[in-house]
Amino acid sequence: MTDLSDEDLAILDLEDTWSDRFETKAEAIRQTFGWSSSRYYIRLNLLLDNPDAIYSRPVTVGRLRRLRNARAEERGGSSAHSPR
């Protein structure tokens, strides 16, 4: 059992299913949570660093962590979240 909230699980679910139900991810975020994209991505990044998230959804969290690290490398800086 994990300590993830229903909201945390809904964020992870959205990452896997938004393209099946919405035209854009921003629309999916707004309709699902009523949040701005900025707020959503802050929550998502915190969630990706939560050990319970990787335990609960290893494939999804692993994929998102790889994307986050690749984007940080593209920007030319190291991410505080990337392994050293």
Side-chain angles (χ1 to χ4, degrees):
M1 184 165 168
T2 67
D3 287 329
L4 297 179
S5 68
D6 290 341
E7 199 169 72
D8 292 335
L9 294 171
I11 290 169
L12 295 174
D13 287 342
L14 184 70
E15 286 299 316
D16 286 332
T17 63
W18 74 266
S19 63
D20 298 336
R21 303 177 307 182
F22 299 95
E23 193 167 322
T24 67
K25 194 166 185 182
E27 176 188 3
I29 293 165
R30 193 171 38 260
Q31 287 191 23
T32 304
F33 299 103
W35 298 345
S36 68
S37 292
S38 296
R39 179 177 175 192
Y40 175 83
Y41 286 110
I42 289 168
R43 288 286 307 271
L44 175 61
N45 277 302
L46 290 171
L47 185 56
L48 295 181
D49 293 327
N50 183 331
D52 287 332
I54 194 78
Y55 177 79
S56 175
R57 305 281 172 80
V59 173
T60 300
V61 174
R63 174 179 56 84
L64 294 170
R65 283 179 172 182
R66 286 189 300 277
L67 286 170
R68 179 177 68 181
N69 291 340
R71 287 183 185 125
E73 288 178 17
E74 285 175 7
R75 288 190 301 265
S78 65
S79 169
H81 304 289
S82 57
R84 296 178 192 236

